[in-house]
Amino acid sequence: MKSLPQFILLFVMLFTAIHPLQAQKKKRHASSPDRQKSQAQPEKYSSADSLQQSFKPVKRNTTLPVMVFPGKIRQDSVLIANYTITDGSWEGKLVKTFTFYLPNGVKAAEAMILGISKDACSITTFKDNKMAQVEINVINNTARVKILATYLITNGYL
């Protein structure tokens, strides 16, 4: 049986003999022409294109009425969006926030209504970071969601 120092020496010799070979393989692989080609190829879509792909609305007949269900919006029997309603406060006033998501999970828009007012609310769309005012003349949340969804559909966001 070999002694511990001989075993360590044998281990070190094997490690140093294998290690340079592995390093040489990695170096050769990184500099291979195939590897360089794949690194030089541009992405299939630019980030702007992939962003536009993720904000793509669902295909359906947009002339049919919008149906609002708890947490879901349908049109032509197709799920076109999910939504959430959260209550909060801003500068000491009650704020209702309506957040709309495409079925793929991408946040499409967010609307804020101060208090229980029946006035216009501000809506921000994340596809193009635009802000608009939408006239809200009801207090019922389901009716508000329908008005906001109709605005988003008309403008190509849902």
Side-chain angles (χ1 to χ4, degrees), residues 38 40 51-52 101:
S38 66
L51 183 66
Q52 291 300 318
Y101 300 91

Side-chain angles (χ1 to χ4, degrees), residues 3-135:
S3 68
L4 186 60
Q6 287 178 336
F7 178 74
I8 292 173
L9 182 62
L10 181 62
F11 178 78
V12 170
M13 286 174 43
L14 284 174
F15 180 77
T16 55
I18 293 172
H19 192 278
L21 290 176
Q22 287 177 342
Q24 198 173 26
K25 273 185 183 178
K26 287 180 184 176
K27 186 176 180 182
R28 195 173 36 218
H29 179 67
S31 63
S32 69
D34 294 336
R35 179 90 170 158
Q36 289 174 349
K37 277 184 191 175
S38 66
Q39 289 174 346
Q41 290 178 347
E43 293 180 12
K44 190 173 182 180
Y45 300 106
S46 71
S47 61
D49 288 339
S50 63
L51 183 66
Q52 291 300 318
Q53 290 292 329
S54 65
F55 278 103
K56 193 172 183 178
V58 177
K59 291 183 180 181
R60 81 273 181 193
N61 184 352
T62 56
T63 60
L64 293 174
V66 175
M67 306 294 290
V68 178
F69 300 99
K72 300 188 182 310
I73 303 168
R74 293 185 176 275
Q75 188 175 34
D76 191 19
S77 300
V78 177
L79 176 69
I80 62 167
N82 297 306
Y83 70 92
T84 60
I85 302 172
T86 54
D87 293 320
S89 64
W90 184 66
E91 293 184 0
K93 295 181 182 177
L94 178 67
V95 176
K96 279 207 181 289
T97 305
F98 298 82
T99 309
F100 296 87
Y101 300 91
L102 293 173
N104 63 4
V106 173
K107 188 190 275 190
E110 192 170 75
M112 292 178 63
I113 300 173
L114 289 175
I116 57 169
S117 67
K118 294 194 304 185
D119 298 330
C121 74
S122 63
I123 186 164
T124 305
T125 54
F126 296 106
K127 179 179 181 179
D128 52 11
N129 286 326
K130 287 189 177 178
M131 192 172 207
Q133 297 293 318
V134 177
E135 187 69 31

